[in-house]
Amino acid sequence: MRTHMKRWLFLIHRWLGIVACAFFAMWFISGVVMMYVGYPKLTEAERLQHLPSLGTGRGLMAPHEALDAAGLAGPLKELRLSAASGGRVVYLAVPLAANTAPGTRKAPPPGSGVITIDARSGARLQAVDERLALASAASYAGPGVGLAYRGTVGEDAFTHSRGLDAHRPLHRVQLADAEAMLLYVSGRTGEVVRDASRTERMWNYAGAWIHWLYPFRGNAFDRYWTDIVNWLSIVGIAVALIGTIVGVLRWRFTRPYRSGSRSPYQGRMMRWHHISGLLFALATITWIFSGLMSMNPWRVFDNGAPPLRTEALQGGPLVITAQDVAPQVLLAAAGGAVRELRWVRTLGQTTVLAQGATGRPTLIDSPTAQARVLDPEKLWAAVARLLPDPVARIDVLTAYDLYYYAREAHTMSGGADKPLPILRVAFDDVRATWVHVDPHTGAVLGRTDSSRRTSRWLFAMLHSWDWLPLLERRPLWDIVLIVLSLGGAILSLTGVVIGWRRLGLKLRAVRHTRHQGLPASAP
């Protein structure tokens, strides 16, 4: 019985391993590429740096005038002012009703429900055409850069992100700059929503595009993409575990084989596969498992957490009135080269965030144009009401830790604003919820709970080694990941070669058998 079981282990590992090792090798090699070149994205920092300055704001309509001219009444979810659409200064308004989907807790994709209003005339943007897309690209690129319109696309190799869904179809504009940048312009607002340099496009075919199995996205397989990734990962874990068992069973820990080796295999490929499997099996299994965890398979990390009661921080909906002063007054109060004005409701007051190309925004009271600083006591009292449960503690973080940290912009979780100091509000609820709040702006930066913290360890820690003591000591992080990846690649590639050779032998044997069975007169 034991011999029969071992035989089945060997057969399963041998034949499933041919396919699994091909994917393992692809994942290891593409993973190293992704350490340095990520999937294209337009970070908030890049967006702001490429926005033209608003200047003095002379001739721009006050926000209530523009909203009235566009026929928008009632509370807003968001209101921004920037030269984001064809180089023109526009208001980008999101009515509150566009973001309240009854019966669902899931937020709509960014850009959903955005209404673009010309800040000089109050006219709504009706459609984004080639002319407007080229104007937006020219504004992004700056003077003297050649442009070539490449048409529209629903989804392509560099725009699979669901965050772009509200902007489709996307207009593509090729820049004749040193990076051969390809820009994607929103078909709804006219904003540049993604940039992809030649380096990103080239390396992504060997990196994120193949690593995330994006050949199965945007086509007939799109609806099955999640299942394909999940089940390939599960099969891969099973093959790697069986291979580890087989490798341990075949290794002589006490008495060597007659050859003097502790491995029974004489062929170079088989020996390398056996030894590398024993050395890098744990890393291989860990990476495949953590990759599976990144997919939140079958929503194992969803726990039905209720939405935050953000009205506690806002103190009421954002309603723009005639009391809110014109951009010219706000820009004069802010000083410097302001790229964007954003109206928000914070602690019961309408506040404008005046954002430059870099740095933190300046807070201005919207009706008086006076500088504003949030009252710490009022802020602490408000954040304590974000959930109905009592607060266990409120910590002030002045340095990054294992759950709040920054990654480089090109990484999967990188590119988001991670300011310091922040407040960590720990609630005494069944989910052990933490909420991160920016004390400068009063904005909720994120939330996490026991399920999401478990996901952080099973994915971010095990897959990309997001461990501060290692991240802060580069190139140690690079060396460790590259060595383990190379070991996994050797394990996988030797498995592919062995499997291919064995498959070839089997096919030749079948052809030989068929040939022997042919009649003598056969050609």
Side-chain angles (χ1 to χ4, degrees), residues 319-333:
V319 178
I320 302 299
T321 69
Q323 294 181 345
D324 296 295
V325 300
Q328 184 175 352
V329 181
L330 295 168
L331 293 168

Side-chain angles (χ1 to χ4, degrees), residues 408-450:
E408 294 187 38
H410 72 269
T411 60
M412 183 176 177
S413 58
D417 187 24
K418 296 285 187 177
L420 287 171
I422 66 157
L423 303 181
R424 173 176 287 160
V425 189
F427 288 90
D428 188 17
D429 62 331
V430 295
R431 299 174 183 84
T433 302
W434 296 351
V435 181
H436 293 140
V437 177
D438 184 353
H440 176 61
T441 63
V444 173
L445 300 171
R447 69 183 291 180
T448 183
D449 53 33
S450 55

Side-chain angles (χ1 to χ4, degrees), residues 206-223:
W209 186 77
I210 194 69
H211 192 85
W212 293 337
L213 301 185
Y214 274 177
F216 295 109
R217 292 290 301 274
N219 50 42
F221 296 99
D222 192 85
R223 61 184 297 186

